[in-house]
Structures are given as C-alpha cells and as structure tokens.
Amino acid sequence: MKLNPSFFKNYSLFTLVFVLLAIFWGAWVRLSFSGDGCGSSWPLCEDKIFPENVKALIEWLHRLSSGLALCFVFILFAMAFKIYPKNHGVRAFSTASFVLILISALIGAVLVLSGLVGANTDKVRVLVLAVHSVNSLLLVGALTLCYKMSLWKKRGEKITDILKVKKPMIYFVSLFPLLALTGNIASLAGQLFPSLSLSSALALDLLPSAHISLKIRPLHPLLAVSFLLGLSFFAFSKKHLLAPALAVLAVVLFGFATLVFLSPLWMKITHLVLAYVLWIFLLDFSIQKL
C-alpha cells in the first residue's frame, strides 16, 4: 500500500462516513433508552466482553463503533503528517479531528460512569449533552474540511486558505452549532418528558417548574426559523445562496413535521441525519465560493 494524497483522499472520506454512522448509532442508543444497557461499567459491558441482552448489545455496538472510529481518526492523523508538508491545512484539520474524537470518548465515559443515561433527568446531563453535541458537530466539520482540502490541487497549502470564507456564509456556519445544540436538548426533553399532544407539550414547556431541557426546547424551532429567514433574505440578493436556503427549508419543514407528529423515533433519527447532511453541505458550499 502506497501512502499518497490519492489514497489519503479516499481514506479520509471513509473515516468521515464511519464517524457519522457511529454518531447516528449513538443517537439510537440514547433515544432507545439503551445508554444504561451496560450499567456503570466502562469500557467493558458489565465487566464482560460480550453483552447478554438487547439493550446491552445496542450500547456495546456503539462502544465498538466509537472505538473503531477513534482508531481510524488516529490513522488519518498519522497519515496526514506522513504525506503532507508542514503547515498544510490537511495536517491542521486531521489534528483537530483527533483531539475532538478524544474529547468525545472522554464525554462518553463521563456519561456512563456518572449514570447520565437512560431516563436520568439530572440537569447536569443537559450540560454534558450540549457539550457532546457541539463537539460531535465540530468533529464532523473538521473531518469534512480535512477531506475537502485533500481534494485541492493548488490550494490548501496553508490553514489560512480555509479561513477566507466570504460573508454571509461565515455567519451561518458559525451559528449552526448553536442551532444543533438546542435541537439535541429539545430531543432529550421529548425523550424524558413525552406528551400526548402538541398543546400539552407546549403547556409543559411553560410551567415555572419545568425541567431545564423543557425550558430550552422552544428555542430550537425559533432559532431554526430565524436561521431560515436570515439565509432566505440574503438569497434574494445573492442568487448563489438559493441552494443552501432551500436545503435549510427542507430540514426545517421536516423538523416541524417531527414536532407535529410528536417526535416518533424514526423521525428523530432522520432529522438528525438531515441536520448533519445540511452541516456538511453548508461547509462545502462555503469553501466552494472562495
């Protein structure tokens, strides 16, 4: 096997896809209340190598996929320093990816060892989940940019090449993690405090004694609509922004459909997948316009 930019390009795409699958499986673990399937043991499952029940199997497979993702990102990091010269953007983003996936593994351990899984309603869980969601988004962003820069033939020699994203896309890319953060908290609120109707869910959110996740939940649709309106405003004057505006519209509409149908599991997962696809699209679109 010969290490060269062509091989790295393919490997970085594979790593990005694998990490995404690990993230989506992690969401399934939380939404299916399987996060406590292995008890408080970590990294083994109930001090056993192989689990003995369905919940434990779901959690164990997530740990396995996360461990493999960590290995794949480390290999990506090592190859970047072997193939690319000093100060190259691929080196910078592969390093960021490795640091971020280490943080992700640490947060995962904290969640399990602290019992912040399953039906746990501790307010600390909301904070940890917020950090975890933003970290996962930045990890996917770093891997996306690492792959993108590996495609460039005449650019990407310096990390500053990626910092030349023109306005207004830089604003929307910067604000997207906040939108994703509130979305993850809203999803957690729906999981921990299910409602039989949209009106009862809204009433629950407005209670003075409502859980912190319920108080934050209404922010997500408000931010999503604001994000869409802001991008649509610029799309009227800058026709090239029509594509990202339409992409955001599609995700927002699906999000509202998920809300109306009281967030069934498959719609929550699909909405998460669409959000990550949108995040990658926004990043890619932003750099294409350099």
Side-chain angles (χ1 to χ4, degrees):
M1 181 180 67
K2 185 178 181 180
L3 295 181
N4 53 45
S6 179
F7 177 83
F8 184 90
K9 175 191 66 176
N10 295 327
Y11 181 79
S12 62
L13 179 59
F14 160 78
T15 304
L16 171 61
V17 172
F18 190 91
V19 168
L20 282 169
L21 292 176
I23 290 173
F24 299 150
W25 190 258
W28 174 263
V29 169
R30 177 174 64 82
L31 293 171
S32 63
F33 291 96
S34 301
D36 57 353
C38 293
S40 59
S41 61
W42 190 90
L44 296 179
C45 189
E46 295 179 335
D47 298 323
K48 299 176 182 178
I49 297 178
F50 298 104
E52 298 178 349
N53 59 74
V54 175
K55 285 181 64 176
L57 177 62
I58 293 174
E59 168 62 7
W60 180 81
L61 286 173
H62 176 54
R63 294 185 186 185
L64 176 63
S65 62
S66 298
L68 288 173
L70 176 59
C71 294
F72 293 151
V73 173
F74 173 73
I75 294 172
L76 182 81
F77 164 72
M79 282 200 302
F81 276 75
K82 181 72 174 178
I83 297 172
Y84 294 92
K86 185 178 180 180
N87 296 325
H88 197 285
V90 166
R91 279 194 175 194
F93 286 111
S94 65
T95 302
S97 300
F98 184 53
V99 171
L100 289 166
I101 202 167
L102 285 176
I103 295 174
S104 182
L106 178 61
I107 295 174
V110 168
L111 285 169
V112 172
L113 296 176
S114 301
L116 301 175
V117 291
N120 188 302
T121 59
D122 194 314
K123 294 180 180 178
V124 176
R125 184 180 183 183
V126 177
L127 175 62
V128 178
L129 177 66
V131 175
H132 196 27
S133 62
V134 171
N135 186 79
S136 297
L137 201 70
L138 294 178
L139 169 60
V140 170
L143 287 170
T144 299
L145 295 177
C146 183
Y147 168 68
K148 186 67 180 180
M149 296 191 84
S150 72
L151 298 177
W152 290 353
K153 301 297 184 182
K154 298 180 180 180
R155 295 184 292 168
E157 293 299 320
K158 296 181 180 179
I159 184 61
T160 50
D161 287 345
I162 214 74
L163 302 178
K164 298 175 183 176
V165 179
K166 296 180 179 179
K167 300 175 183 177
M169 286 306 299
I170 186 64
Y171 299 133
F172 293 103
V173 168
S174 300
L175 289 173
F176 194 87
L178 177 61
L179 180 60
L181 181 155
T182 57
N184 274 274
I185 295 176
S187 177
L188 177 66
Q191 174 191 357
L192 297 178
F193 307 99
S195 302
L196 297 176
S197 67
L198 194 56
S199 58
S200 61
L202 182 59
L204 197 61
D205 294 347
L206 298 177
L207 286 175
S209 58
H211 189 267
I212 182 65
S213 63
L214 293 171
K215 292 179 179 179
I216 294 175
R217 179 163 63 176
L219 288 177
H220 182 60
L222 291 175
L223 286 175
V225 171
S226 300
F227 194 92
L228 174 61
L229 291 176
L231 193 51
S232 299
F233 172 79
F234 284 106
F236 278 112
S237 57
K238 302 178 184 296
K239 298 302 181 183
H240 68 278
L241 294 180
L242 182 60
L246 290 174
V248 172
L249 174 61
V251 177
V252 169
L253 288 177
F254 189 87
F256 272 98
T258 304
L259 187 64
V260 169
F261 289 104
L262 300 178
S263 305
L265 185 55
W266 74 269
M267 291 190 78
K268 279 186 175 182
I269 294 292
T270 304
H271 188 49
L272 179 68
V273 172
L274 291 175
Y276 270 94
V277 170
L278 176 61
W279 170 237
I280 292 172
F281 173 71
L282 290 177
L283 285 172
D284 181 58
F285 181 87
S286 299
I287 355 177
Q288 281 180 356
K289 298 305 172 184
L290 291 177

